[in-house]
Amino acid sequence: FSLIREQSRRAIAEADSLIFLMDGREGLTPMDQEIADLLRGVNKPVFVAINKIDTPKSDPLISDFYALGMEPLYPLSAEHGAGVAELLDALYPLLPAAPEGPTADIPKVTVVGRPNVGKSTFINTLLGEPRLVVSEAPGTTRDAIDTLVRYKKAAYLFIDTAGIRRRGRIDPGVERYSVARAMRALGRADLAVLILDGVEGVTEQDTKIAGLALRGGRACVLLVNKWDLRADDPDAKAKYEAELRRRFAFLPWAPVLYGSALEFKTVSGVFPVINRALKAFAHRVPTAQLNRIFQDAIAANPLPIRKGKPVKSAYITQVAAKPPTFVLFCKHPEEIGAPYLRYLENYLREQFDFAGTPIRIFAKAK
């Protein structure tokens, strides 16, 4: 509880306005009164909201909260939306103006991994302050938490997520909701930093989380945490790299870093790798240059043979970035199988710096 109290104090200090939310069904609790005492000395607008007031029959539940001497009270139902508009109407005039300048261009980096691998520790070390609650107990982080970070005059939006467990081990209720939020955070990110446990090794769940990033078309960097605990083992890195090659055979292009999330040297060392991956993620290749490379590729390894004749008159173009996506146009795209598309991907990676990003290649009829 002391950790949560400290986080609350920091949140109050940073906020422009505060919403004090209480549970109408439970009534006024000693913890509510303690928080109210904390807020009395705050020279900021405080909106007192009573949740779970779902129907008019629930209105008598509000009376207990007048004992706090904090008015007005805003009864509402977060589940059904009742009363939320009234709270927002009161809050809206006090909100600060949106900052000027482009914010959509700030790269979004989500920090993902199994529970208790060090995701929040990573961001706290990055900030130099305990912004996120860190505990030995798995599942401390319940929500996806956005943190704006500036490093060497560049801005990044880091998103700390709840640890993603195996589906069968996800508890119903809050944890299932937290994991769903983590997956949505992964969907809105440009790049995922997947944190692995250097002591426990790579697990099946790690590969599944990496698969989520790959299917979502996100750039990816692997950070092997707690590596300081294996510093005395001279063979540890070779063993771990062999395990990574076996478990992450589908992710050979992802850079791998080793270190401790407790050390700023490790955390700051991630930025050059992130920048390189983000640059590759957004890279566009001019069509003329791309087709010169493509002609070299098919000269070294011709397109598949169809009915005794080679597929001819093919060309390629990049149709999208984030991630780089290419379309190979030819007469018989059904003859271009997955092995040849992988060959083309590997050839393009040799010619261009696509480290840290997936690339997609599709074959279509001309």
Side-chain angles (χ1 to χ4, degrees), residues 285-298 303 313-319 324-330 336 340-341 343-345 347-348 352 354 359-364 366:
V285 183
T287 301
Q289 182 185 8
L290 179 61
N291 277 279
R292 285 197 299 270
I293 299 297
F294 175 61
Q295 292 303 318
D296 293 340
I298 61 177
L303 289 163
S313 154
Y315 66 94
I316 191 170
T317 187
Q318 183 173 355
V319 296
T325 304
F326 304 89
V327 175
L328 168 61
F329 290 98
C330 58
I336 310 295
Y340 196 84
L341 294 179
Y343 160 73
L344 287 179
E345 177 183 343
Y347 198 93
L348 289 176
F352 304 102
F354 283 127
I359 62 176
R360 295 170 171 173
I361 305 177
F362 303 97
K364 288 188 176 183
K366 289 201 294 184

Side-chain angles (χ1 to χ4, degrees), residues 161-177:
T161 64
I164 303 174
R165 303 175 190 250
R166 287 192 293 112
R167 187 175 297 276
R169 295 181 60 188
I170 298 175
D171 298 329
V174 174
E175 187 176 359
R176 187 177 296 277
Y177 170 78

Side-chain angles (χ1 to χ4, degrees), residues 20 30-42 68 70:
F20 179 20
M31 188 177 295
D32 292 332
Q33 293 174 329
E34 184 176 343
I35 295 172
D37 291 339
L38 180 65
L39 293 174
R40 291 187 209 284
V42 175
L68 293 174
M70 303 173 73

Side-chain angles (χ1 to χ4, degrees), residues 125 223-228 258-264 266-267:
T125 302
L223 173 61
V224 182
N225 188 25
K226 307 178 186 178
W227 197 248
D228 52 318
Y258 295 82
S260 169
L262 291 169
E263 298 176 358
F264 185 74
T266 295
V267 174

Side-chain angles (χ1 to χ4, degrees), residues 202-253:
V202 183
T203 68
E204 180 184 358
Q205 189 60 14
D206 292 324
T207 64
K208 289 184 176 179
I209 297 171
L212 290 174
L214 180 61
R215 285 197 297 275
R218 305 300 95 185
C220 192
V221 173
L222 307 180
L223 173 61
V224 182
N225 188 25
K226 307 178 186 178
W227 197 248
D228 52 318
L229 301 179
R230 301 191 67 177
D232 296 333
D233 184 355
D235 300 325
K237 192 167 185 180
K239 293 176 183 176
Y240 208 97
E241 286 176 346
E243 191 175 8
L244 285 174
R245 285 194 297 271
R246 181 174 64 87
R247 291 278 195 168
F248 289 110
F250 59 93
L251 216 66
W253 42 263

